[in-house]
Amino acid sequence: MNPQLPPLIELQALDLRIVEIKELQRKTPELIASAEAPLREATRLLKEATVSVEALTKERRGRERDLEAHEAQTEKLKARLTELKTNKEYQAYLFEIEMANKKKGEIEEQILVLMEGIETKQQEVKRAQAKVAEAERQFAQEKNRLEALAAGLVKELAELEEKQRVLTATVDKELLDRYAKLKAARKDLALAPVRDGICCGCRLQLPPQLVAEVKRSDVLQTCSYCHRILYWEGEPVNASVVAAEPLDRAEDDMQETV
Ligand SMILES: [Zn+2]
């Protein structure tokens, strides 16, 4: 293998992990926001129930004031009893009293219904409060987990960038440029391993002769289709043994591979 290749392969692995880390970092605020969703929903439901209790309570107070006003009116009406002169007036008075009592019963019934409604809603508030507390607990836990993960990524990224800097200095400038251009053009891998005669960058079958050259040659080989720099991942071929073999023998091997 070309001695320039191992640091470049390592550099590529670093670069890929750096891209992955940056993507994870980009997603972290999104993940935190989505972890908060159940809490937001529980808070919304609690607010809704609380508002209902307040509205019903307000309505009940209004009805109670109505009842007081109505009772005051009935008292006045009752006070008139001594002023009544005729039977006709008395009959009208009885009717008014009957109507007043009926109205009182209606208001009292409304107050009762409102009180039941308030009690139901208050129970709902209690359940909603428990749900908010649970959602808060879970969100805090998940947020802590994601933040710890993010802190770990920051640390790892700094370490990788330092390794990248050191490694970059060991690679030939021209090769590094080539690597950078390929990486930019391919948006992922600039170097691709050869496996089972296939370029792992583009998944296309390579000519057997090219595969054999990648296996043995010190010269950098590129994929005929995607132009990625190819490297051999299998058992390292001992260069000195290959060189010591007679040329025709090496060609026979090549034929066998075909
Ligand atoms: Zn390829």
Side-chain angles (χ1 to χ4, degrees):
M1 192 187 265
N2 182 307
Q4 294 275 1
L5 270 176
L8 211 53
I9 293 167
E10 201 184 329
L11 186 63
Q12 171 160 281
L14 286 181
D15 285 350
L16 289 175
R17 179 62 187 153
I18 288 172
V19 168
E20 198 176 54
I21 288 175
K22 286 185 176 167
E23 181 59 13
L24 286 171
Q25 286 181 326
R26 196 185 60 74
K27 276 186 188 161
T28 302
E30 250 171 68
L31 291 174
I32 291 178
S34 83
E36 204 183 0
L39 175 59
R40 279 196 300 268
E41 177 62 8
T43 308
R44 189 186 67 77
L45 290 174
L46 172 60
K47 199 178 170 201
E48 224 173 65
T50 309
V51 165
S52 287
V53 169
E54 282 165 6
L56 289 173
T57 306
K58 200 178 161 194
E59 208 181 326
R60 193 188 93 179
R61 280 196 205 111
R63 295 276 83 186
E64 279 168 350
R65 273 195 301 272
D66 288 350
L67 187 63
E68 276 170 34
H70 180 74
E71 275 172 346
Q73 224 177 350
T74 312
E75 284 310 306
K76 274 185 206 163
L77 186 66
K78 281 178 183 164
R80 270 173 48 206
L81 181 61
T82 53
E83 301 163 16
L84 301 175
K85 305 263 179 337
T86 65
N87 190 39
K88 198 181 167 197
E89 273 177 342
Y90 186 68
Q91 289 303 322
Y93 170 83
L94 282 184
F95 182 72
E96 268 187 83
I97 290 285
E98 195 192 322
M99 290 312 285
N101 284 339
K102 197 174 169 230
K103 177 96 187 287
K104 185 186 175 198
E106 277 170 17
I107 298 175
E108 280 171 344
E109 177 62 24
Q110 284 168 350
I111 291 172
L112 215 62
V113 169
L114 284 167
M115 280 167 78
E116 278 169 14
I118 289 168
E119 202 179 314
T120 306
K121 282 288 167 188
Q122 275 169 340
Q123 279 163 4
E124 212 174 284
V125 165
K126 267 189 196 158
R127 281 195 300 271
Q129 279 169 336
K131 277 184 186 164
V132 165
E134 176 58 16
E136 263 170 357
R137 195 189 62 76
Q138 280 186 0
F139 172 58
Q141 204 176 5
E142 182 61 4
K143 191 169 175 254
N144 277 346
R145 192 186 71 83
L146 289 167
E147 280 172 352
L149 219 63
L153 290 177
V154 169
K155 190 163 167 280
E156 190 186 348
L157 185 63
E159 284 165 6
L160 290 177
E161 281 174 343
E162 174 57 17
K163 270 189 200 165
Q164 191 188 39
R165 198 184 60 76
V166 171
L167 208 56
T168 303
T170 69
V171 181
D172 174 64
K173 175 84 177 63
E174 203 181 316
L175 186 59
L176 204 61
D177 282 351
R178 202 170 142 195
Y179 167 78
K181 273 182 199 150
L182 269 169
K183 195 172 79 167
R186 294 287 155 210
K187 293 187 171 63
D188 53 1
L189 300 171
L191 287 87
V194 176
R195 265 178 232 145
D196 301 324
I198 285 170
C199 161
C200 289
C202 63
R203 318 297 310 169
L204 288 172
Q205 187 82 42
L206 297 166
Q209 196 175 341
L210 180 58
V211 174
E213 276 164 17
V214 170
K215 220 169 174 179
R216 294 158 186 242
S217 176
D218 263 2
V219 179
L220 291 181
Q221 304 291 337
T222 54
C223 170
S224 341
Y225 310 104
C226 68
H227 308 295
R228 288 185 176 92
I229 299 168
L230 296 169
Y231 64 91
W232 183 251
E233 245 194 352
E235 283 292 300
V237 177
N238 190 326
S240 62
V241 171
V242 174
E245 281 179 341
L247 207 67
D248 57 332
R249 178 68 207 284
E251 273 168 10
D252 284 352
D253 278 1
M254 224 176 272
Q255 288 304 312
E256 278 165 24
T257 322
V258 175

